[in-house]
Amino acid sequence: RLSGGEQQMLAVARILRTGAKLLLLDEISEGLAPVIVHKLAEMVVALRKQGYTIVMVEQNFRFAAPLADRFLVMEHGQVIQEFTQSELPARMARLHEYLGV
């Protein structure tokens, strides 16, 4: 039986075999051990370096923040903030209000 992290990585491997260059990742860190979350982050970085476009929906901001080029914060189905990685430091106080981190 595969662990949650192994299932996530297997799912991504299956997608990559199709030739897709766009990955949609939904809450891939949810419920996983920190060591597995770290491995998933390494996988995302490696895929980006290979030219893949990755759209990630993730509530775990600490996981997602170092991986993202752009951020969209949604509330009740509406985008309430949009900014780039370079704008992140200036937006942190506001993000703490929204996300409670």
Side-chain angles (χ1 to χ4, degrees):
R1 182 142 164 79
L2 297 175
S3 71
E6 291 169 330
Q7 290 174 0
Q8 296 284 32
M9 289 184 196
L10 181 58
V12 171
R14 286 181 178 150
I15 293 166
L16 297 178
R17 287 188 57 206
T18 69
K21 285 299 211 180
L22 170 67
L23 297 175
L24 304 175
L25 304 177
D26 185 16
E27 299 289 346
I28 65 168
S29 73
E30 185 176 19
L32 299 177
V35 68
I36 301 299
V37 172
H38 180 74
K39 289 291 185 193
L40 288 171
E42 289 175 352
M43 178 193 68
V44 169
V45 169
L47 291 171
R48 288 183 61 212
K49 286 180 181 176
Q50 293 175 33
Y52 287 89
T53 299
I54 301 170
V55 176
M56 183 170 23
V57 175
E58 184 63 60
Q59 289 187 28
N60 182 344
F61 182 74
R62 287 181 180 91
F63 168 73
L67 302 174
D69 294 324
R70 291 183 293 178
F71 300 87
L72 297 159
V73 178
M74 297 184 73
E75 184 174 70
H76 303 294
Q78 300 293 318
V79 175
I80 57 172
Q81 290 282 307
E82 183 175 350
F83 53 94
T84 64
Q85 181 66 253
S86 64
E87 297 170 303
L88 181 59
R91 303 285 181 116
M92 285 305 293
R94 186 71 174 178
L95 283 172
H96 283 279
E97 291 175 25
Y98 286 130
L99 306 175
V101 289

